């Protein structure tokens, strides 16, 4: 009777090991009609993205500033009304109204200010492009992180089930006198560790869901079915951008800001130059005997002395330009470092994935061999538990390596300024 029970327990344990070795989920996968893909999630995030709304408002403000700078170079029309008189009763009292039209002819500081506003608008457009790229980056990162955590949680649950089955089997053998108490307790310890890992994984999975909801502004994503990546899906190696293929929007924005500050320095330097304007005036005397007339004049203004105000403004503009150049230089170094780092990170992740998947078959065979050896008395319970642990670690390493590879690919393309809609669509084609 004891031998029959032992054979049944052995068959059940072997079935649990086979379930652990397979990568198929115990639950049916959601249908393609109900599961959401990456593009759908990103479109929901685009519908109400506060960072993009902020950048759009800032760009509109800079566009208005450019219109204002250009308008200051055009005709200016003013209406003036004056009334005056003296203390003496015999002093003449005046009441006069006039229209004054002024057209700047030569005003280099205003021209430079307009050019600076134009460069700042270009910086705003680049910042908006960078914001759109960052939104795509966050959508993609959250999507692949959610998939990886789901896969890791599935592996952890299957490992938890295998340990629980082993602990139950060893408990039965211990009660029948076929196994030592230490083997039973050791199986329970591995089960408890697996239970703790599963609880921690579930909390991390919930946190990623909450992050996805906050990103997309859609509470329905908390429990919505999400399509996952294929088990063998890996990104291609990152290639260095071709010469003349453009730079990162971050670089474009910083370079435009540098150019704007350079124009502001030119404006500060030219503030000491003369300005020339054409004025036309129509007047009307509003006394008891109204009179009216008109005249025009060319007005030349030559700055002479301002107690050092223009010199201080010029020095401040020079230092702002110097700071912008330093920031641009540092950004170029950071982007080059980021591109090289992510390329190496991707290659390393691909190698780790190949190592993990290559060792899975050997680990599965080891689990089966340890089971047989345990039944024959040539292998201990520790050998079986460690074989199961190794198999679970290899599967988790494969999941982590796949995640690391895709994150490196995403971040590398962002550093190159190439994570566009096409890259997002390419990632979407790798879904199951």
């Amino acid at each position: 009777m004891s031998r029959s029970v032992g054979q049944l327990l052995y068959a059940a344990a072997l079935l649990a090991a086979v379930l652990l070795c397979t990568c198929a989920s115990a639950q049916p996968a959601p249908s393609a009609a109900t599961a959401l893909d990456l593009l759908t999630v990103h479109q929901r995030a685009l519908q109400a993205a506060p960072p993009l709304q902020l950048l759009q408002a800032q760009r509109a403000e800079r566009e208005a500033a450019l219109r204002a700078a250009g308008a200051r170079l055009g005709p200016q029309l003013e209406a003036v009304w004056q009334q005056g008189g003296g203390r003496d009763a015999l002093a003449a009292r005046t009441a006069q109204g006039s229209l004054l039209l002024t057209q700047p002819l030569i005003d280099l500081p205003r021209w430079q200010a307009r050019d600076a506003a134009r460069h700042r608008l270009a910086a705003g457009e680049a910042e908006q492009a960078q914001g759109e790229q960052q939104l795509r980056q966050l959508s993609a990162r959250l999507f692949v992180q959610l998939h990886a955590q789901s896969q890791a949680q599935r592996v952890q649950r299957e490992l938890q089930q295998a340990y629980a089955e082993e602990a139950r089997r060893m408990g039965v053998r211990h009660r029948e006198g076929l196994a030592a108490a230490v083997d039973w307790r050791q199986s329970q310890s591995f089960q408890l560790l697996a239970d703790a890992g599963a609880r921690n994984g579930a909390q991390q999975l919930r946190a990623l869901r909450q992050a996805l909801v906050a990103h997309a502004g859609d509470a329905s994503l908390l429990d919505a079915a999400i399509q996952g990546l294929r088990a063998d899906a890996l990104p291609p190696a990152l290639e260095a951008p071709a010469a003349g293929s453009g730079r990162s929007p971050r670089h474009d924005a910083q370079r435009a800001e540098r150019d704007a500050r350079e124009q502001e320095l030119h404006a500060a330097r030219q503030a000491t130059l003369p300005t020339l304007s054409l004025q036309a005036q129509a007047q009307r005397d509003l006394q008891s005997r109204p009179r009216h007339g008109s005249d025009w004049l060319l007005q030349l203004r030559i700055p002479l002395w301002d107690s050092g105000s223009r010199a201080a403004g010029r020095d401040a503009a020079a230092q702002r330009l110097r700071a912008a150049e330093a920031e641009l230089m540092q950004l170029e170094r950071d982007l080059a470092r980021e591109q090289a780092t992510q390329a190496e990170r991707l290659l390393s992740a691909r190698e780790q994935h190949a190592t993990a998947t290559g060792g899975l078959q050997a680990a599965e065979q080891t689990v089966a061999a340890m089971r047989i050896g345990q039944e024959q008395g040539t292998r201990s319970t520790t050998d079986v538990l460690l074989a199961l642990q190794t198999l679970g670690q290899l599967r988790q390493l494969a999941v982590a390596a796949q995640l690391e590879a895709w994150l490196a690919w995403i971040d590398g393309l962002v550093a190159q300024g190439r994570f566009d809609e096409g890259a997002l669509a390419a990632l979407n084609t790798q879904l199951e």
Side-chain angles (χ1 to χ4, degrees), residues 285-299:
D285 193 343
L286 302 178
Q287 288 292 346
S288 58
R289 301 179 63 182
R291 298 187 303 270
H292 61 84
S294 62
D295 55 18
W296 64 271
L297 57 88
L298 283 174
Q299 186 180 71

Side-chain angles (χ1 to χ4, degrees), residues 195-241:
D195 292 344
R199 288 192 297 269
N200 183 57
Q203 188 276 330
Q204 294 180 6
L205 184 62
R206 197 68 175 176
L208 283 172
R209 282 283 187 169
Q210 295 286 0
L212 187 64
V213 168
H215 169 63
D218 186 353
S220 66
L221 292 178
L222 190 62
D223 300 309
I226 303 294
Q227 291 186 26
L229 290 167
R230 298 195 307 270
D232 60 344
L234 287 176
L238 289 169
E239 299 180 356

Side-chain angles (χ1 to χ4, degrees), residues 73-344:
L73 294 173
Q76 310 293 319
L77 181 63
E78 297 176 311
V80 181
W81 177 77
Q82 301 179 16
Q83 182 173 359
R87 294 183 178 178
D88 190 349
L90 299 177
R93 300 180 62 86
T94 62
Q96 187 179 75
S98 63
L99 290 177
L100 179 62
L101 179 65
T102 304
Q103 171 62 60
L105 299 179
I106 300 177
D107 196 332
L108 296 181
R110 289 190 180 184
W111 292 348
Q112 299 295 345
R114 181 193 57 186
D115 292 341
R118 183 179 294 113
H119 286 300
R120 283 226 162 80
L121 176 58
E125 293 172 347
E127 289 172 358
Q128 184 173 344
Q130 173 64 11
E132 294 171 353
Q133 180 176 246
Q134 288 179 336
L135 192 69
R136 289 191 292 269
Q137 178 189 21
L138 185 54
S139 295
R141 285 180 63 90
L142 285 174
F143 202 90
V144 297
Q145 285 174 330
L146 185 61
H147 162 75
Q149 188 59 39
S150 300
Q151 293 298 101
Q153 183 68 0
R154 187 182 70 181
V155 172
Q156 190 65 30
R157 285 197 304 268
E158 292 175 1
L159 190 62
Q160 180 185 19
Q161 293 171 3
Y163 284 147
E165 177 61 28
E166 182 67 17
R168 189 190 66 80
R169 191 173 71 90
M170 294 308 298
V172 173
R173 290 174 63 87
H174 171 63
R175 287 190 295 271
E176 293 178 350
L178 301 177
V182 64
D183 293 332
W184 177 34
R185 297 301 183 187
Q186 186 180 28
S187 300
Q188 289 180 324
S189 298
F190 273 75
Q191 179 188 356
L192 291 175
L193 287 174
D195 292 344
R199 288 192 297 269
N200 183 57
Q203 188 276 330
Q204 294 180 6
L205 184 62
R206 197 68 175 176
L208 283 172
R209 282 283 187 169
Q210 295 286 0
L212 187 64
V213 168
H215 169 63
D218 186 353
S220 66
L221 292 178
L222 190 62
D223 300 309
I226 303 294
Q227 291 186 26
L229 290 167
R230 298 195 307 270
D232 60 344
L234 287 176
L238 289 169
E239 299 180 356
S245 61
R247 294 180 181 269
S248 167
R250 289 174 57 195
H251 183 274
D252 294 339
Q254 186 59 43
R255 183 176 54 186
E257 176 62 24
R258 190 274 315 270
D259 293 341
R261 295 187 187 185
E262 185 177 16
Q263 294 299 324
E264 289 175 343
L265 177 58
H266 292 332
R269 287 173 175 171
Q270 294 166 357
T272 58
L273 298 179
T275 60
L276 181 64
S277 62
L278 174 63
Q279 292 185 348
Q281 180 174 272
Q283 300 177 347
R284 183 176 179 86
D285 193 343
L286 302 178
Q287 288 292 346
S288 58
R289 301 179 63 182
R291 298 187 303 270
H292 61 84
S294 62
D295 55 18
W296 64 271
L297 57 88
L298 283 174
Q299 186 180 71
L300 178 65
R301 291 178 177 267
I302 303 177
L304 297 178
W305 177 251
D306 63 353
S307 300
S309 174
R310 282 185 289 269
R314 182 171 60 250
D315 293 342
Q319 294 305 317
R320 287 195 295 269
L321 175 59
R322 181 182 177 186
E325 290 175 342
E327 292 173 356
L328 180 61
M329 183 184 300
Q330 185 62 47
L331 178 60
E332 290 174 347
R333 295 179 181 180
D334 291 343
L335 289 176
R337 173 189 55 79
E338 181 71 9
Q339 292 175 22
T341 299
Q342 298 304 332
E344 294 176 359

